[in-house]
Amino acid sequence: QVQLVESGGGLVQAGGSLRLSCAASGRTFRSYTMGWFRQAPGKEREFVADINWSAGTGYADSVKGRFTISRDNFKNTVYLQMNAVKPEDTAVYYCALGYRNYLPRSGAGVDYWGKGTLVTVSS
């Protein structure tokens, strides 16, 4: 089993910055991909960003150029640096871990999920 624990959510003003962290513990086994999804009130879950074991990254178009994902393999931790945030970034952000070279963009087939951390962007 793998446990994912997110931290860093909170309230931020539009145009500001926030950094999310997600630490993985337990039997992570072989190389894995970590990333983030989000779900806004009344909306479906959507892919945000992922990073694989060799640091290859992927981003949703809506966050490209504003968000940066990174990871520390020694700490089994992934980070999401969120800059120039917008009110539409308001959502619960979920950490995800999978054993493919990328996370399924729909979220279906992700092996492990965190419980989520709320990000609220005020206008």
Side-chain angles (χ1 to χ4, degrees), residues 76-98:
N76 289 334
T77 298
V78 65
Y79 306 96
L80 185 69
Q81 179 66 43
M82 305 168 62
N83 296 331
V85 295
K86 305 175 181 179
E88 50 263 44
D89 294 322
T90 294
V92 177
Y93 283 71
Y94 296 94
C95 182
L97 184 150

Side-chain angles (χ1 to χ4, degrees), residues 40-116:
K43 294 190 176 181
E44 293 186 353
R45 178 182 59 199
E46 64 174 356
F47 169 79
V48 176
D50 66 359
I51 183 167
N52 60 26
W53 188 255
S54 55
T57 59
Y59 295 92
D61 288 343
S62 58
V63 307
K64 213 172 281 185
R66 299 188 298 121
F67 292 7
T68 302
I69 191 169
S70 60
R71 67 188 288 168
D72 183 330
N73 289 337
F74 292 104
K75 295 182 178 179
N76 289 334
T77 298
V78 65
Y79 306 96
L80 185 69
Q81 179 66 43
M82 305 168 62
N83 296 331
V85 295
K86 305 175 181 179
E88 50 263 44
D89 294 322
T90 294
V92 177
Y93 283 71
Y94 296 94
C95 182
L97 184 150
Y99 292 109
R100 304 181 194 186
N101 199 39
Y102 59 92
L103 294 177
R105 294 321 191 228
S106 68
V110 165
D111 292 277
Y112 296 98
W113 292 97
K115 293 184 177 180

